[in-house]
Amino acid sequence: MQLIRIRTDDELMWYKDIWDGILEAEGNDNPFIEFAWFYNWWQIVGRRERVELYAVEENGAIIAFFPFTIRLRWGVRIYAFAGENIANYSGVIAEKEWLFPATTFVFDQLIEKYKHLLFSFHGLLESKDSTKVIEQYFVERQLRPSIFRVVTPYLAFRDIDFHSYFNQRRKMHGVDRRERKLRKLGSLTRKIPSQDELWQMFKLFNRRWAKKIDTSDFTKGKKKDFFEQLTLLQGEALQAKVDALVFEDQWIAFTYGICCRGRYVTYALAHEPTFNIFGPGRLVNQETIKRIYSEDYRLFDMSIGYESYKFDWRSNIDFTRRMLVSSETKRAKLLAGHFTLKERLKELLKGNHRIVEWKRNTLGQLRYLVKYGKVKDWLEYGQLFVEKFIRYKQVDLYELSPSDSVTPNRPVGDLFEELSIQEAMQLDDEEIISLFYKGYTIYKDSFAATNKPAFALHAVNWRVDELQIVEALPKQTCFLTYDVYKNIDIITAFFQKMKPAQTLWVTASFWHWRKRKRLLQLGYKRISRMKHFKCARYERNHVEKYTESGGDVHSVH
């Protein structure tokens, strides 16, 4: 055997047909070792990397490729598979019969040539032959590998009755119900975007992760150019596919997947933050699964990670390894020990869902506040932080029957009109979108320059979200929320003109003393007071009932 060093991407093009031929003969479905992936990575992202790409020749024929990157630390050469921070999986490019002989030859050559060595291999799927062969080599050479595993869920279409499986899973977490609610509000479609629409994908990803910590760098610099370039590939085994979920001509979610010979790998997924309550990420994921099945793929690979939505859909799991092996020198062993300790700590932290959530969300929120936060944002964050330990809530429920009202001093005319969800989407406010989800009819000032909501009415339920109360309303009663206390008299008069025979309920918290005073002046009667107190782990709820109607229609949960 002979080892050939390929030094430039131009030189690599001479080997394209051989590389593709090997993987096609083996039926490879790992997109991250395809020629198109590595070549574009080297051209766009890997320019500053120290790439060592080797081809193995036997009797005048190329039988294997080993794409490595090299870095030096403490005088130790660290070998890793190319694209360590961007490719989910890795492996050796070789036909099965030559895999072990070629691996043995290349690793023997490297160990013989360099004294201080550390092999740091990421993305080794346990179901692939490359992983087994690499581990076998190190075991036979008595070089003990340190192995770290992360779960890799997938959905194998041939192992299930897809239609019954799909209908069952889409009901988890009420996804089918959320989809129905969204479709009632407007037009919801899935689309495959054109090339000139991909800017919306990157914009949406940045919005989704603006207040969170993202480690993928999907939209950063050269990586963004790389992922966009993959969508242009034609006639390759590797294809990048984007599925967008569009509501009223606005992207609310997308998936970016990489396909290879019957395997679809979910690479990136994001959704519009203001639509959180509708679960658009889960919606677009199920739409993508349905499309991938219809195109006769074998596997829907949800990639590495412990996210709950992956386990909701998986039919089985694989594991992806990181393998650390050093040569026998003290320096290499010391560095390997350092890397091993770091990986064990990372494995421990990533295996703890609460720590992952804290890092991603809490630290991400703090980072956002430091960069862009105003005084109001800091005060709101401080209030939420304090309420984790000590909290006092008091909410009064008021009732205004048609016979108790006091006519306001000024006419209301047609002061308010309904706000459509299309108008609400322009306000970029998650709270307003959530009101549509909860079934409210939202009203705006007909003569205002903006579409800012004035109040919202519900004809079926009344709710106090801060106390987690949701109860049915009595007949001929509406519940008012999102109102501005300064305009409560005008809102009340408008309601009485619109629905003169109905009763109106409204709440006021402990701090809204002006609102409570004004409600009493307008003829409202307090029918209930709800209190909630928390200090550390101690919690107490208390309800005071002032009328028979108020006391019989709700409870504190």
Side-chain angles (χ1 to χ4, degrees), residues 19 31 39 52 125 129 134 136 148 162 191 259-260 293 367 379 423 433 462 469 486 512 542:
W19 188 310
Y39 179 76
E52 279 194 17
L125 277 168
D129 292 328
I134 291 172
Q136 179 183 345
F148 307 90
F162 178 75
K191 68 176 293 185
C259 312
C260 184
Y293 171 77
R367 185 185 64 176
L379 290 175
E423 294 171 321
I433 297 297
W462 72 280
I469 297 174
K486 291 181 180 178
H512 295 161
H542 179 68

Side-chain angles (χ1 to χ4, degrees), residues 239-390:
Q239 295 290 318
K241 296 189 176 182
V242 180
D243 291 85
L245 193 65
V246 181
F247 179 74
E248 292 295 314
D249 296 324
Q250 177 177 322
W251 283 38
I252 61 170
F254 80 88
T255 56
Y256 182 99
I258 303 171
C259 312
C260 184
R261 296 187 184 89
R263 187 187 200 109
Y264 175 96
V265 182
T266 303
Y267 192 88
L269 183 153
H271 65 267
E272 170 58 50
T274 56
F275 277 78
N276 268 334
I277 197 166
F278 287 97
R282 292 182 182 273
L283 286 175
V284 74
N285 189 57
Q286 75 174 23
E287 288 298 312
T288 305
I289 289 173
K290 187 162 60 174
R291 180 180 70 82
I292 292 302
Y293 171 77
S294 69
E295 295 181 3
D296 203 29
Y297 279 75
R298 295 180 297 103
L299 290 178
F300 185 88
D301 185 337
M302 283 159 270
S303 194
I304 58 176
Y306 295 90
E307 290 83 356
S308 60
Y309 75 90
K310 296 179 180 180
F311 288 92
D312 290 344
W313 283 97
R314 66 104 180 95
S315 63
N316 211 328
I317 59 173
D318 200 348
F319 286 91
T320 304
R321 292 183 176 184
R322 172 175 286 275
M323 192 177 296
L324 292 170
V325 187
S326 71
S327 59
E328 292 295 328
T329 64
K330 290 183 179 180
R331 189 187 304 176
K333 285 185 176 181
L334 186 62
L335 183 60
H338 172 72
F339 273 50
T340 299
L341 182 62
K342 183 178 177 181
E343 287 298 323
R344 291 204 187 282
L345 181 60
K346 189 187 297 185
E347 186 179 53
L348 179 66
L349 295 178
K350 286 187 175 181
N352 189 313
H353 183 69
R354 293 180 62 184
I355 293 177
V356 172
E357 289 290 315
W358 179 83
K359 176 191 172 184
R360 179 183 298 166
N361 299 328
T362 305
L363 287 185
Q365 175 77 8
L366 284 172
R367 185 185 64 176
Y368 180 84
L369 287 173
V370 169
K371 288 184 176 180
Y372 311 107
K374 299 178 181 179
V375 174
K376 179 183 176 182
D377 299 321
W378 279 102
L379 290 175
E380 289 178 355
Y381 181 80
Q383 179 183 351
L384 293 174
F385 180 77
V386 171
E387 287 184 353
K388 292 180 180 179
F389 306 99
I390 184 169

Side-chain angles (χ1 to χ4, degrees), residues 191-208 218-219 224 228 242-255 270-273 425:
K191 68 176 293 185
I192 298 176
S194 61
Q195 193 67 27
D196 59 0
E197 293 178 297
L198 291 183
W199 64 270
Q200 296 190 62
M201 173 179 72
F202 296 114
K203 178 184 176 182
L204 188 57
F205 190 90
N206 285 333
R207 279 183 55 80
R208 171 70 179 106
F218 181 70
T219 62
K224 175 185 175 182
E228 195 166 6
V242 180
D243 291 85
L245 193 65
V246 181
F247 179 74
E248 292 295 314
D249 296 324
Q250 177 177 322
W251 283 38
I252 61 170
F254 80 88
T255 56
H271 65 267
E272 170 58 50
M425 288 164 64

Side-chain angles (χ1 to χ4, degrees), residues 432-447:
I432 296 171
I433 297 297
S434 70
L435 290 175
F436 283 97
Y437 176 84
K438 295 168 185 174
Y440 286 95
T441 302
I442 305 175
Y443 293 85
K444 65 175 182 177
D445 189 333
S446 302
F447 304 101

